[in-house]
């Protein structure tokens, strides 16, 4: 598969010596959607970890997901949807999102522990959280609900990622309205399939596996890659599951393999001083043969850590144009030592 990049160069002069210095940049095109991503502002991917005790101290007092409050504060579902009100698995609770952005939105806590450091998130913890979310999806699906089309899990881990709480939790929703980038990907994958007669994701993963420059490895039928045109400033980890079109086709074994890969990504980014991330499911509808289930793990950090400047500025926020501060191939090499299965 031919991947497109436009190389650019900026010449600046030293203010004292007037000697010229060339600064490279690159505009990459996402091979599916054509979305562009800029590789620029090259810097060492290294951040200082803050004093977590200071960040976390006292936040449990007001935390609605802590075990002394979660069952008193959080609402119940309509009894046509979940007759028992909430879904509970051990110390994990799934309840309606009180700030819904769609009609069937839920939040699932990862259990009673208020702060779980990123390096202590285990595959088992992730699998238990995912299973609870899947129980919700299966309930929605069994009702033949009109919103039972796309079953999505989003994860904002720690405030830097957009989470309003320290307590780890998942955003879980079923919707007939595909979010922007997912919808654009689905449209592009459909078009690719009509034009080429093959599945974009199958072709792409095959090509990336052969190319090796961004390939991180496999857990079962899940392939792990450093994204060619990342959204995150420190790159993104992309996981694509062979043969799976939509969320509900994932097996329990797939969940374990996805969870294992996610913990590898967390371990690798932790070494760069990153302690926050977003993770989104990208799913097709039930019989969307033209697509493959995939997810993006995108580390979140700061442009200026001392000032708390977020890693999203005008370019990204209003143009949806992304900046990545290292080549995805170099990011792959930084992540690879942890991606040993
Ligand atoms: Zn809490």
């Amino acid at each position: 598969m031919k991947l497109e990049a436009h190389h650019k160069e900026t010449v600046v002069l030293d203010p004292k010596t007037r000697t010229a210095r060339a600064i490279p940049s690159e505009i990459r095109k996402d091979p599916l959607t054509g979305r562009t991503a800029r590789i620029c502002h090259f810097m060492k991917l290294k951040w200082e970890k803050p004093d977590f005790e200071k960040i976390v101290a006292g936040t449990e007092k007001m935390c609605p997901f802590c075990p002394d409050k979660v069952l008193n504060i959080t609402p119940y579902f309509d009894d046509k949807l979940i007759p028992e009100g909430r879904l509970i698995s051990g110390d994990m609770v799934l309840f309606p999102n009180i700030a819904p952005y769609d009609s069937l939105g839920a939040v699932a806590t990862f259990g009673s522990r208020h702060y779980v450091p990123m390096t202590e998130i285990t595959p088992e913890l992730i699998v238990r959280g995912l299973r609870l979310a899947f129980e919700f999806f299966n309930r929605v699906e069994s009702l033949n609900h009109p919103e039972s089309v796309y079953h999505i899990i989003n994860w904002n881990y720690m405030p830097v990622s957009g989470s309003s709480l320290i307590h780890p939790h998942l955003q879980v929703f079923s919707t007939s309205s595909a979010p922007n980038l997912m919808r654009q990907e689905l449209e592009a994958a459909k078009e690719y399939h009509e034009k080429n007669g093959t599945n974009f994701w199958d072709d792409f993963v095959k090509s990336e596996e052969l190319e090796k420059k961004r390939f991180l490895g496999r857990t079962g039928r899940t392939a792990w890659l450093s994204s060619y045109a990342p959204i995150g400033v420190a790159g993104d980890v992309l996981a694509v599951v062979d043969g799976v079109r939509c969320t509900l086709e994932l097996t329990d074994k797939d969940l374990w393999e996805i969870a294992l890969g996610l913990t590898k990504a967390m371990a690798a980014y932790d070494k760069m001083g990153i302690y926050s991330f977003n993770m989104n499911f990208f799913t097709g509808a039930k019989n969307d043969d033209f697509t493959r289930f995939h997810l993006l793990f995108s580390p979140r950090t700061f442009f200026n850590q001392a000032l708390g400047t977020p890693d999203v500025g005008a370019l990204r926020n209003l143009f949806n144009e992304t900046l990545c501060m290292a080549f995805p191939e170099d990011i792959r090499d930084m992540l690879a030592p942890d991606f040993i299965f």
Side-chain angles (χ1 to χ4, degrees), residues 2-216:
K2 204 178 166 304
L3 300 177
E4 281 177 62
H6 194 176
H7 304 276
K8 301 220 175 180
E9 197 177 79
T10 306
V11 175
V12 295
L13 304 185
D14 182 280
K16 288 197 185 82
T17 63
R18 303 290 164 100
T19 45
R21 183 166 68 98
I23 307 171
S25 60
E26 195 172 300
I27 303 177
R28 293 190 173 192
K29 226 178 193 182
D30 180 82
L32 178 58
T33 60
R35 172 183 62 78
T36 48
R38 293 174 191 240
I39 316 295
C40 55
H41 294 199
F42 294 98
M43 62 163 268
K44 201 160 184 249
L45 299 185
K46 193 81 201 154
W47 288 268
E48 285 298 314
K49 274 188 226 161
D51 181 347
F52 290 111
E53 255 177 57
K54 227 160 129 189
I55 292 179
V56 172
T59 57
E60 73 285 350
K61 287 192 201 91
M62 295 297 286
C63 177
F65 299 169
C66 269
D68 57 329
K69 295 179 226 62
V70 68
L71 295 177
N72 297 323
I73 291 178
T74 58
Y76 278 22
F77 285 102
D78 184 301
D79 50 14
K80 281 189 223 74
L81 187 65
I82 311 283
E84 63 270 50
R86 306 181 185 108
L87 299 177
I88 296 175
S89 163
D91 62 347
M92 295 183 175
V93 189
L94 183 146
F95 47 83
N97 190 342
I98 48 161
Y101 38 84
D102 210 316
S103 56
L104 293 185
V107 171
T109 73
F110 270 109
S112 55
R113 199 171 159 197
H114 177 66
Y115 168 54
V116 184
M118 192 167 79
T119 48
E120 291 179 33
I121 297 173
T122 58
E124 195 204 352
L125 186 78
I126 298 174
V127 168
R128 287 180 52 221
L130 295 178
R131 279 183 187 153
L132 187 60
F134 274 64
E135 195 183 330
F136 174 75
F137 295 149
N138 286 320
R139 295 284 190 102
V140 171
E141 176 68 3
S142 69
L143 293 170
N144 273 324
H145 198 286
E147 297 293 348
S148 189
V149 181
Y150 303 109
H151 302 281
I152 299 173
I153 296 178
N154 290 348
W155 189 354
N156 302 314
Y157 174 77
M158 291 297 273
V160 184
S161 73
S163 173
S164 54
L165 295 167
I166 299 283
H167 203 122
H169 62 282
L170 295 172
Q171 305 262 333
V172 179
F173 62 114
S174 298
T175 180
S176 56
S177 313
N180 280 319
L181 185 55
M182 200 181 95
R183 186 181 65 248
Q184 286 155 15
E185 283 195 358
L186 290 172
E187 286 165 2
K190 193 170 184 213
E191 208 176 291
Y192 181 97
H193 187 253
E194 282 162 6
K195 204 168 134 198
N196 302 290
T198 52
N199 182 298
F200 165 81
W201 291 101
D202 294 351
D203 294 350
F204 177 66
V205 169
K206 208 161 128 196
S207 157
E208 288 289 276
E209 206 162 355
L210 281 172
E211 171 81 29
K212 294 191 174 72
K213 285 196 283 194
R214 287 167 297 275
F215 197 73
L216 285 162

